[in-house]
Amino acid sequence: MRLPVTAHTSRPWRIHEIAGDFQIEDVWALPTPGGPDDLARLVDQFTHGTGEPLSAPIPRMLFAIRWKLGKLFGWDKPGAGVGTRVNSLRNRLPEDLREGPRGADPGAVPFTSVYQTHDEWVAEMGNRTVHGLLHIGWVPDGSGGYRGQMAVLVKPNGRLGTVYMAAIKPFRYLGVYPALIRGIGREWQSTAAERNAD
């Protein structure tokens, strides 16, 4: 399910013109088969879903540890986030994206939506360690259908951010991403009948 960086960079996403100073950390295929216009449904799942993908035991434990460390070291204080320590990506948007749909904010994670188009949705978060972007695209699956594709882009905050990103990398790959992507797929499949009825 993990994809090469070129799976993101080769697509004509609008994010390329806005976030060129961010590093592409990861790109993943999502088990969310659908039709050409289903990105909005996937975004709705991210923003209004049950949060079940984050509730699996390992991600739940790792996120709990992360929030405790953040509280201990002050990584997540109000002055460390988007709009304070870092400027929102919305400040960079060209007029058409700024005036277009923004999308709802996710409820289960501390991200804020930046913009949404027919085939892209971007949300951002910031703290003392990193300014991060979640990019969800909607792409052809190679067999006549479409699916979601998730990219994580980051701008580490100095040495602290660089060390932090390196330290959490094994936990992301072993504990977070596999459970998260399985959970996204399960939640998508659970609403398949509703989508097919439309």
Side-chain angles (χ1 to χ4, degrees):
M1 288 185 186
R2 189 174 178 215
L3 300 173
V5 167
T6 53
H8 178 80
T9 57
S10 65
R11 305 290 308 172
W13 304 125
R14 300 295 302 275
I15 193 66
H16 301 320
E17 66 193 78
I18 301 157
D21 53 338
F22 284 72
Q23 304 166 17
I24 302 166
E25 191 72 18
D26 298 296
V27 184
W28 297 86
L30 298 179
T32 54
D37 303 317
D38 280 343
L39 175 71
R41 291 182 183 274
L42 183 56
V43 172
D44 186 66
Q45 176 176 310
F46 270 86
T47 57
H48 298 104
T50 63
E52 186 269 340
L54 297 174
S55 66
I58 293 175
R60 186 172 63 238
M61 178 191 70
L62 292 173
F63 276 109
I65 292 169
R66 166 56 184 86
W67 301 136
K68 286 184 186 300
L69 290 173
K71 186 173 183 179
L72 177 67
F73 293 110
W75 293 340
D76 306 312
K77 288 182 177 177
V82 173
T84 51
R85 186 186 72 76
V86 294
N87 290 320
S88 171
L89 207 65
R90 283 194 60 78
N91 297 338
R92 304 181 181 188
L93 296 183
E95 186 176 357
D96 65 317
L97 289 179
R98 194 169 54 250
E99 294 182 355
R102 186 174 72 84
D105 294 336
V109 289
F111 278 78
T112 303
S113 288
V114 177
Y115 71 86
Q116 183 175 341
T117 67
H118 180 259
D119 61 358
E120 275 182 276
W121 173 62
V122 177
E124 66 181 339
M125 59 78 65
N127 55 43
R128 281 189 60 206
T129 63
V130 70
H131 186 186
L133 307 177
L134 175 67
H135 181 277
I136 303 296
W138 198 246
V139 299
D141 65 6
S143 53
Y146 292 78
R147 61 160 172 78
Q149 180 170 295
M150 179 175 75
V152 176
L153 296 85
V154 298
K155 187 170 9 171
N157 183 23
R159 182 170 174 78
L160 170 65
T162 301
V163 169
Y164 171 78
M165 290 304 298
I168 68 170
K169 192 168 193 171
F171 299 102
R172 290 199 327 264
Y173 289 147
L174 296 175
V176 175
Y177 282 132
L180 175 66
I181 291 169
R182 283 194 303 270
I184 290 168
R186 280 194 302 269
E187 193 166 349
W188 182 260
Q189 290 302 322
S190 74
T191 61
E194 176 186 326
R195 290 194 306 276
N196 294 336
D198 288 352

